[in-house]
Amino acid sequence: MSRIAYKTLLCNTILSVHGVNARWLTVTRVEATDKGKIVWAGDVDTFELVKHPQAKACYAWSLEAGDLTVVLTALKIPPVTSAQLAIQTAYAEGKLDPKQHLPKNK
């Protein structure tokens, strides 16, 4: 997927999840560690939000879950005030495990 297509995917997800348009600002390389071991590493894109009632920015990144690409977002609302803290919070909540996002077998 091209970088332009990827940014469009993230913007569309932000619109779907948070109900507002977003403008891309920057990308940050982030590593999440647990007990000194890297448990996740990747790029986190930061977006300016257009007329969101609570946040001026949002962080977005993706995970590969099987054949699926899952996009996760975090609003820039304390305590999430950086891309690093967005990833640390997602890790603490168990959201960085790609298996969690796979469809459940019935």
Side-chain angles (χ1 to χ4, degrees):
M1 175 181 315
S2 73
R3 187 71 183 143
I4 292 171
Y6 183 69
K7 286 181 190 178
T8 300
L9 172 64
L10 298 181
C11 280
N12 288 340
T13 301
I14 292 168
L15 177 60
S16 175
V17 172
H18 300 291
V20 296
N21 288 313
R23 291 186 197 114
W24 185 85
L25 295 174
T26 191
V27 62
T28 305
R29 185 74 178 171
V30 176
E31 291 181 350
T33 60
D34 187 12
K35 298 176 185 164
K37 292 186 179 182
I38 297 172
V39 295
W40 186 88
D43 291 335
V44 178
D45 289 77
T46 303
F47 293 84
E48 175 186 21
L49 299 179
V50 180
K51 297 184 180 178
H52 189 278
Q54 297 172 313
K56 294 189 185 295
C58 181
Y59 304 102
W61 64 95
S62 65
L63 302 172
E64 298 301 318
D67 294 336
L68 301 173
T69 298
V70 178
V71 175
L72 300 174
T73 66
L75 294 174
K76 185 177 181 180
I77 298 174
V80 176
T81 56
S82 69
Q84 182 71 44
L85 288 171
I87 294 299
Q88 287 177 310
T89 301
Y91 177 73
E93 293 173 354
K95 294 179 182 175
L96 295 183
D97 180 1
K99 295 177 206 159
Q100 174 185 334
H101 302 283
L102 288 170
K104 306 288 186 239
N105 292 330
K106 295 183 179 183

